[in-house]
Amino acid sequence: MNVIVLCGVLVSHGCLNYKLLMQPGPIKFADPIGLGENTTLVIAVIAELLCSALLIIGFATRLVVLPLIATMAVAVFIVHGHEGLEAQELAILYLLVYVFLLVTGSGKYSVDRLIPRKKRYFFGS
């Protein structure tokens, strides 16, 4: 349940970035890794909006947290790296939750649990 709330907040942040992406004129957005402002904003929108939405329903959990981990790692270590812990704490919180989800996978009530898995047989067993 807590993950749903956390991802819901990030989806709302992604909506704001989407509005920024769709507005006419030049885009003013951070370019911390040198991909260009437009490209960086598109990547942020995909991670924050699409990946967070998929995470809320629990679809491909371990896959969709990878872009979120990358986005939050850039936020913690590059964008806010020189500003200190006070500026980094929210991104660190997100990063820790996403790493936890990468390790644990989706929960009991998720789309991932509804998808049947093939049984794997090793060494003829």
Side-chain angles (χ1 to χ4, degrees):
M1 184 60 134
N2 295 334
V3 173
I4 292 173
V5 173
L6 199 64
C7 289
V9 172
L10 197 58
V11 165
S12 69
H13 190 264
C15 288
L16 294 175
N17 283 341
Y18 180 75
K19 285 182 184 178
L20 179 65
L21 183 64
M22 291 297 122
Q23 74 183 25
I27 293 175
K28 301 283 187 198
F29 194 75
D31 183 21
I33 54 177
L35 297 175
E37 292 177 346
N38 289 345
T39 305
T40 303
L41 182 57
V42 168
I43 291 169
V45 167
I46 289 170
E48 294 173 353
L49 197 57
L50 179 64
C51 292
S52 290
L54 291 173
L55 197 57
I56 288 171
I57 64 170
F59 181 73
T61 300
R62 288 191 167 117
L63 182 64
V64 300
V65 295
L66 294 176
L68 292 164
I69 288 171
T71 301
M72 291 304 122
V74 167
V76 169
F77 299 113
I78 299 173
V79 175
H80 299 295
H82 63 283
E83 297 174 14
L85 186 60
E86 192 172 301
Q88 296 171 321
E89 63 185 346
L90 186 58
I92 290 171
L93 174 67
Y94 279 114
L95 181 60
L96 291 174
V97 169
Y98 296 142
V99 169
F100 177 78
L101 288 172
L102 179 66
V103 173
T104 62
S106 58
K108 183 178 177 181
Y109 303 106
S110 66
V111 173
D112 287 346
R113 297 285 182 202
L114 299 175
I115 300 171
R117 294 185 180 166
K118 292 182 182 180
K119 291 184 179 181
R120 295 187 181 117
Y121 296 99
F122 294 102
F123 305 112
S125 39

